[in-house]
Amino acid sequence: MTTTELKPSAANLIDGQWVPGSGSDAIEVFNPATGEKITDLQPATIEDAETAIAAASRAFVDWAARPLGERVRVLYRMKAILEENTENLARTITLDQGKLLDEARGEVARALDFLETALAAPMLYHGQNINVTTGLDARRVREPLGVCVAVTPSNFPVMNTVQFSAWALVTGNALIIKASEQDPLASTAAIRLLQQAGLPAGVLTLLHGRADVVKHLISHPSVVAVSCITSSPTAKAIYEAAAAAGKRVQANGGAKNPIVVAPDADLDKAAAGIISSSYGMAGQRCLAGSRVVVIGDVYDELLERVVAIANQIVVGNGLDDGVTMGPVVSAASKERILGALAEAEKLGATFVLDGRNVKPSGGAETENGYFIGPTIVAGLDPAHPVERMELFGPVINFHRVESFDAAIVLANDTEFGNAASIFTQSGAVAAAFERRVRAGNVGINSFPAPPANVTMGGYGASFYGDMHVCGDAPLAFYTDQKLVVSRW
């Protein structure tokens, strides 16, 4: 088998062929750890999208007619190919997205988890048969939808690419992936590997384009379903446009995830959990904790422990030994976060830990990288827009409250509802938190990352649609049910 390339020569997969896009305005791809340009990619245009949709529409007819077992065997080959190429694929992720190599290996492992879950389709796909009355039978069967679109994010360019591909393809659909422009090499490498499993031309498509391509894809009459993971404003816009056109939509947005620490919590475990949640992947996870709410007199002691651990974090190139936090994904992301922190400073916020001028390891090689060190902000009014927005970086806002009820109020004081966690040794407190907090994913003394075989939730502006991702929810999303009544 061919291993993945670190610098793919062509980015767009259309009708089974790797071709440059027709766009003249190249997408510049940079290494987040060094700021150096890796390559230029020619983006897809609306005309390329039209070609891709036509090819996918043709391919769908044959692919949907193939037996489920045949499609499952393709997924088995995909899994074997990804496993064989894990290390090269992980290195491509780190080069392109910036996360630690171990974090990138973990991303590939999660991608394999999603593939394995989709391999259960034969156990879930069966229909229902009912004898209505003598000589009259009814049966319900599942059928694929058609041409589907997935708009994938920059933080998990391989995992989400594989996640959407696995379920869309095993259920018999054709899938067009519009990948993030910020780290297109990793998604390209993943699709190159998946394509080796023997997919017919046009069944799986990869486009690298800009907003005009996304708008065209989600409005096209031949596209019947749209999935996306992005910021909440973009997710809402995609949902509204696609749903208005009668399409099935699952649109995952942003978050402002609270971590509540009760007075009886094990503070060492709480501090370690906060660090892992908030600074893992430089805070670029939709489930990352970014608002810490401490109840009562343990505030100072907890803050001291968090700062002590954060000060041990080594910021630098994710490929280097000893580095424990990489850069944010792009120069634009860094500037956006720094701008929000400057605004917080104007408002009188206290920087308990200020990572704005962090010196990454690696010397001159990394001095132009997109680094922000671990940052802790206190004293900012929770109602201010800077505190309420999703920064998507290594920033924690610390708050002290005097009661559990006040903690719940602050935890729920957000338009989002993706994740929420509590650290406590009381089962009663944990149960009350689980019941009262408004979030689709809840952690108790734990980070609330759902396993691949469990549906991921999301409330409020964190999710738009009816059917979530993960678990067996994609089976419902990617299929329609047909009722057949027969008399013999």
Side-chain angles (χ1 to χ4, degrees), residues 127-128 140-143 145 248 476 479-483:
Q128 294 177 319
R140 189 170 61 185
V141 297
R142 290 188 180 275
E143 292 188 339
L145 302 178
R248 189 170 292 182
T479 59
D480 263 332
Q481 296 192 57
K482 176 182 286 184
L483 176 66

Side-chain angles (χ1 to χ4, degrees), residues 77-390:
R77 291 195 292 271
M78 287 179 175
K79 180 175 180 290
I81 293 168
L82 286 181
E83 286 176 329
E84 183 174 331
N85 290 274
T86 291
E87 189 63 17
N88 279 338
L89 190 52
R91 288 184 172 274
T92 305
I93 294 170
T94 298
L95 174 73
D96 201 22
Q97 197 276 341
K99 66 181 66 173
L100 303 180
L101 184 55
D102 276 348
E103 292 173 335
R105 290 171 179 141
E107 178 178 347
V108 179
R110 285 281 285 170
L112 290 167
D113 287 344
F114 282 112
L115 263 174
E116 290 170 353
T117 302
L119 288 170
M123 296 296 295
L124 303 171
Y125 209 88
H126 51 269
Q128 294 177 319
N129 292 277
I130 303 170
N131 177 235
V132 180
T133 187
T134 303
L136 185 66
D137 296 325
R139 56 191 174 90
R140 189 170 61 185
V141 297
R142 290 188 180 275
E143 292 188 339
L145 302 178
V147 178
C148 304
V149 165
V151 182
T152 56
S154 64
N155 57 339
F156 290 104
V158 167
M159 184 189 78
N160 293 132
T161 293
V162 173
Q163 173 185 3
F164 289 125
S165 297
W167 275 106
L169 299 183
V170 79
T171 49
N173 299 282
L175 180 67
I176 299 173
I177 292 178
K178 211 304 287 184
S180 170
E181 305 101 296
Q182 296 186 83
D183 48 6
L185 301 188
S187 51
T188 300
I191 295 295
R192 284 181 180 275
L193 292 173
L194 297 183
Q195 191 69 4
Q196 292 178 27
L199 285 171
V203 170
L204 183 59
T205 299
L206 176 66
L207 297 178
H208 293 295
R210 295 185 168 87
D212 61 332
V213 171
V214 175
K215 290 178 181 178
H216 188 74
L217 288 171
I218 65 176
S219 65
H220 199 283
S222 294
V223 172
V224 295
V226 178
S227 304
C228 72
I229 302 175
T230 180
S231 67
S232 287
T234 302
K236 183 179 181 182
I238 288 175
Y239 170 75
E240 290 176 345
K247 304 180 192 301
R248 189 170 292 182
V249 193
Q250 50 182 190
N252 299 270
K256 192 72 174 180
N257 304 315
I259 301 175
V260 173
V261 181
D264 69 338
D266 182 320
L267 296 187
D268 286 332
K269 290 182 179 178
I274 290 167
I275 291 290
S276 176
S277 173
S278 304
Y279 297 143
M281 275 181 55
Q284 299 171 111
R285 295 182 292 194
C286 64
L287 298 176
S290 55
R291 173 185 279 177
V292 175
V293 182
V294 189
I295 303 173
D297 293 339
V298 296
Y299 178 91
D300 290 334
E301 186 177 354
L302 175 68
L303 183 56
E304 181 179 333
R305 296 187 192 200
V306 172
V307 170
I309 301 173
N311 278 329
Q312 301 303 310
I313 291 175
V314 179
V315 177
N317 190 327
L319 293 172
D320 291 347
D321 292 336
V323 170
T324 54
M325 192 172 81
V328 294
V329 70
S330 67
S333 182
K334 178 180 178 179
E335 290 305 310
R336 174 180 52 78
I337 296 167
L338 291 179
L341 292 177
E343 178 65 20
E345 188 172 39
K346 290 179 183 177
L347 294 169
T350 299
F351 281 77
V352 180
L353 198 61
D354 192 342
R356 289 178 288 181
N357 295 309
V358 66
K359 299 297 182 185
S361 67
E365 180 183 338
T366 57
E367 65 182 12
N368 294 317
Y370 313 137
F371 295 99
I372 298 175
T375 299
I376 298 174
V377 175
L380 192 61
D381 185 344
H384 195 278
V386 172
E387 212 282 344
R388 301 177 71 82
M389 68 190 295
E390 181 184 41

